[in-house]
Structures are given as C-alpha cells and as structure tokens.
Amino acid sequence: MTQFTVSLATQPASSGWGESALLSFTEHGATIHLPERGDGLLTIQQAARKLDGLSIPEVTLTGEWQFEHQWAFALSFTRARNPATIHFCDNGDKERIQQCYEAMLFTRKLVNDTPEDLSPENLAQRAAEWIKSLSPDAVSYSMTTGEELAEAGWIGIYNVGRGSDRPPVLLELDYNPTGDANAPVTTALVGKGITFDSGGYSIKSSEGMLDMKCDMGGAATVTGALGLAISQGLNTRVKLFLCCAENLISGHAYKLGDVLTYKNGVTVEVVNTDAEGRLVLADGLMAASETNASLILDAATLTGAATVALGNDYHAVFSMDDRVREAMLECAKAESERFWPLPLEQWHKDRCPSPFADTANSRPQKGGGGGGASNAAGFLARFVDPQGKGWIHLDLAAAYHGKGTAEMPVGASAVGIRSIAALLRQQG
C-alpha cells in the first residue's frame, strides 16, 4: 500500500484549496500550511483532526518537523477508537517522540477503556505490570485489597469502594534503580483511581455519569508520567501510590452523615458521597508521607470547579510551597503543556466545616460552592506536611474531553505526562 505522507510548508496553500486553507493534498498525501506568525502548533492540531476524520490507517511524517510539531500532530491525530499508526520523522528526535507517544497511548487506553473492563484491581495490576515491563529489575509492588484496607487503616479507599462487588485497592509500587534498599525516595506520586463514579448516594445525573470512566485519569496520568521518565533514563527512587475504587450504590455503600477517622486522627463527616476522590487521596497522601520523599505530587480529576475555572485547556496547580509550584510550572512551560496555578492557603483547610467532625469532605451545596477546587485542595492539605512543604496537588481539568474539539479528539488527552516526567527527572 502506498504510504500517506504528511509534510509541513511555510507557504500558503494555492487559492484552489480555499482562503487560508490548513491543508492541501497530492496523490500521495497532504501538506499542512503553517501560519506566518506563531509556532504553528494550533494549526497542526486542527489539521491533524481533519486528517483523522478521513480514517486513514497510517501516516508518515516527512520533511522538516520539530519535536513539538510532531507531538502536536500525535496528540490530535490519535483518536480513541482504532487509532491510526504514525511513523515519525527519522531525525534526532525520533527516540524521544516515540517514548512520549508510547506513554501517551498507554495513558489514553487506560482512561478510555470501559468501566466494566477496568475494575480497581485491573487498573492497579495493569499499571504495575506496565511499569515493571519497562525496568523489571528495578520495580517491585504490592496491593492491599478489600477488607485488608480496613485492617490496615486505609479507611478512605475502603469506604468509598465498599459499595461495589469489586473490591477497592491501594497499589504501592517502588521504582528503585539504585540497587540500594535504603536509598532515599526522591518523589512519591499519588493518583486518584476511581474506575467509575456514580456519585454514590449523592447520585449524578445520567449525563453527568456518562464520562465517569475517566475518573481514574489521575492514576493513569501519574503512571504514564513515571513510565515515560523511566524510559528517559530516570535514575532516582520513586514510589507510586494508586488509590483505586468504584463509587457505587448498594446496601453496603458508605452514606451521607458517616464520620470517617483516618490514620492520622483526622475525622471527616461525609456530606457528599460524590466528593469521594479526596477521601481516597487522603490515604494515598498519608502513605506517600511515610516514605519521607522530598516531593509528593498527587493528581486527580477531582473537581468540576477546576473545569469551570480553566475549561478543558489547563491543569490546575495547587501548592503552599512556592519552590515546588514554580518548578512544576517551569517544567510545564518547557514541555509545552498548559498548567495554571490556583489559590491555596492554610485557611482553605477550614472551608468545609462540620459540627460532627474535624472537617466535612465538602460543603453541602452543588459543586461544593464557590472556590470548590481550592477547598478540595485545602482538605487534602490535612494529610501532608502541615505547612505543605514539598507537596503539589494537580486537579486535571484537561485530562478528558467528553466531546471532540477542533484540536482534540474525544476521550483521554494524556496531557501532563511530559511535565510530570520532567519534574521527576529534576529531582535527582
């Protein structure tokens, strides 16, 4: 079969293709016409979406493509169902772009899979096996499952997941390339892995529930980022914690008005069973803190409030540590990924008051009320260093697109894996 080639041009398309045409075609492929000003990335993404709509089985990028141009094309051309094959340019960036692309494919596949296929145990197992396949001798892992969670005191994950017949899981994975069992942990990653979120007794609408297979996007993103960093030569010790559960309704499900007592003594009144992500992340953050890692990063599709603030274009960054927040933002800028800081202060810890416990898990109003994303981050701040030193919370507003756009396909984006991988490599 003749290869379908895609090249770039700095000259406009001939008038026959229309005014300011993104694309022109030849017998063997297409040319993307870059604008006179700017980096051309948006143009490449829009052209890639149009080409993807032609259901071409595979394309070959030819000519002069910079790394970011190839990455922009890959992000937009790779649809969720039966994605086409991309043959990247055989230049100095080929190994790097292939590493990023494989991590993107893994991350997107994990998020886009059906909730029936992706149980909490399946999510934990697939994440662990993929990471181990990248560096078999440096990776070990364990899983705490079902009633074992209650016995071990991981009551957030246990209670959120106990309404399902498929048990919740805490995955602890240790990537230690040093060979020294006493090597310090430089970074601990924590991911929200809610494989399906009905909202529990605070049940979502049918429309609101449709895309809730994506509520494990945080777990997928930190796993994809760690895998990418390993393929890029990460040489420091990192631990990964995935907090995996299904939030379903049953006679055994947790209820509004329940009070949970965490391992660190914090008591939490459940005023919204649909604010479950922060309940599971609390366990993961405490487990991460036990490693004495110099950096703790958690990632979650946590609040609709972050999406209201930033749309589906940026990930929200929260930290009370100016140094690590700036490091995250600098990595994102260097990797051409969109991250944006939102406010987090000590007093956000108290923005969800409860007369029955130290705190509630939200405010008893739709979406948690004004400042909901910051209030959720404030809740999480109770489970890390009291001053927030060395901790970053990412609310992944750009992790998933329920509807396709002119630039992005429907489904998981995998945006963020490059920036987090870069931050991991920085910690050495």
Side-chain angles (χ1 to χ4, degrees):
M1 185 178 74
T2 303
Q3 287 186 335
F4 188 95
T5 63
V6 182
S7 60
L8 299 178
T10 55
Q11 302 81 26
S14 63
S15 59
W17 295 104
E19 185 177 354
S20 302
L22 298 176
L23 289 161
S24 62
F25 293 85
T26 68
E27 182 180 355
H28 302 297
T31 300
I32 299 173
H33 296 272
L34 302 180
E36 292 183 10
R37 294 187 177 89
D39 55 23
L41 299 182
L42 193 65
T43 296
I44 291 171
Q45 287 190 272
Q46 292 171 350
R49 290 303 312 132
K50 290 181 180 296
L51 290 172
D52 196 29
L54 302 177
S55 298
I56 302 164
E58 59 183 282
V59 300
T60 300
L61 306 186
T62 61
E64 298 296 322
W65 286 75
Q66 298 175 17
F67 174 87
E68 293 298 345
H69 290 157
Q70 294 191 82
W71 181 247
F73 185 89
L75 279 176
S76 300
F77 185 71
T78 307
R79 59 186 177 271
R81 184 170 179 266
N82 300 324
T85 300
I86 303 173
H87 301 287
F88 294 103
C89 284
D90 191 8
N91 57 24
D93 292 326
K94 189 169 185 179
E95 182 179 7
R96 180 185 172 204
I97 191 71
Q98 196 64 46
Q99 290 167 344
C100 292
Y101 187 57
E102 288 173 5
M104 182 191 84
L105 290 176
F106 173 83
T107 304
R108 286 188 174 185
K109 177 79 165 65
L110 211 55
V111 177
N112 288 334
D113 273 358
T114 70
E116 180 61 26
D117 291 337
L118 196 73
S119 68
E121 286 180 294
N122 183 262
L123 169 59
Q125 193 67 44
R126 284 170 62 180
E129 288 177 355
W130 182 64
I131 295 294
K132 191 169 181 63
S133 73
L134 299 172
S135 186
D137 296 334
V139 175
S140 59
Y141 63 89
S142 63
M143 291 189 286
T144 307
T145 305
E147 295 299 322
E148 295 173 352
L149 290 162
E151 295 166 8
W154 302 122
I155 58 94
I157 302 171
Y158 173 74
N159 277 279
V160 170
R162 67 187 171 98
S164 173
D165 290 338
R166 303 196 291 186
V169 179
L170 173 62
L171 169 69
E172 178 178 350
L173 182 144
D174 186 2
Y175 170 69
N176 186 3
T178 69
D180 178 4
N182 297 314
V185 178
T186 60
T187 308
L189 300 171
V190 181
K192 174 187 172 184
I194 302 298
T195 56
F196 186 74
D197 182 18
S198 71
Y201 281 106
S202 305
I203 192 166
K204 294 177 182 289
S205 66
S206 179
E207 295 81 5
M209 212 184 296
L210 178 61
D211 291 328
M212 283 301 101
K213 64 181 181 182
C214 81
D215 215 16
M216 37 63 65
T221 299
V222 290
T223 302
L226 177 56
L228 176 56
I230 291 170
S231 69
Q232 293 173 331
L234 181 67
N235 59 10
T236 57
R237 189 176 187 182
V238 175
K239 286 203 171 185
L240 173 71
F241 299 89
L242 300 188
C243 310
C244 309
E246 285 183 318
N247 186 22
L248 300 182
I249 296 171
S250 75
H252 193 52
Y254 80 128
K255 297 170 288 295
L256 294 126
D258 284 350
V259 174
L260 310 182
T261 302
Y262 280 86
K263 289 180 81 170
N264 65 352
V266 172
T267 56
V268 178
E269 181 192 6
V270 178
V271 301
N272 185 348
T273 60
D274 195 22
E276 84 299 330
R278 64 201 74 179
L279 296 177
V280 303
L281 285 175
D283 283 338
L285 289 171
M286 287 189 292
S289 297
E290 291 175 1
T291 70
N292 295 314
S294 55
L295 174 67
I296 295 174
L297 181 148
D298 77 80
T301 50
L302 199 63
T303 66
T307 306
V308 171
L310 301 175
N312 293 121
D313 301 305
Y314 288 82
H315 290 326
V317 181
F318 298 86
S319 183
M320 291 187 284
D321 186 329
D322 293 345
R323 181 186 62 83
V324 297
R325 179 179 59 248
E326 291 310 308
M328 180 76 260
L329 293 171
E330 287 171 9
C331 285
K333 184 177 181 180
E335 297 295 328
S336 299
E337 292 187 316
R338 297 186 182 108
F339 285 63
W340 198 261
L342 291 182
L344 175 61
E345 305 283 353
Q346 284 286 342
W347 43 263
H348 280 112
K349 294 179 183 179
D350 301 315
R351 280 300 177 92
C352 297
S354 166
F356 302 104
D358 296 324
T359 183
N361 71 323
S362 185
R363 297 177 71 88
Q365 57 193 106
K366 183 175 177 60
S374 293
N375 295 343
F379 176 91
L380 295 177
R382 291 175 173 269
F383 301 92
V384 292
D385 175 85
Q387 303 306 313
K389 183 179 179 182
W391 169 56
I392 302 170
H393 163 56
L394 301 178
D395 200 332
L396 303 180
Y400 188 88
H401 296 266
K403 296 180 180 178
T405 69
E407 292 84 35
M408 292 294 288
V410 174
S413 71
V415 170
I417 60 172
R418 286 176 54 191
S419 301
I420 298 171
L423 188 66
L424 292 176
R425 299 195 308 273
Q426 258 190 20
Q427 302 307 305

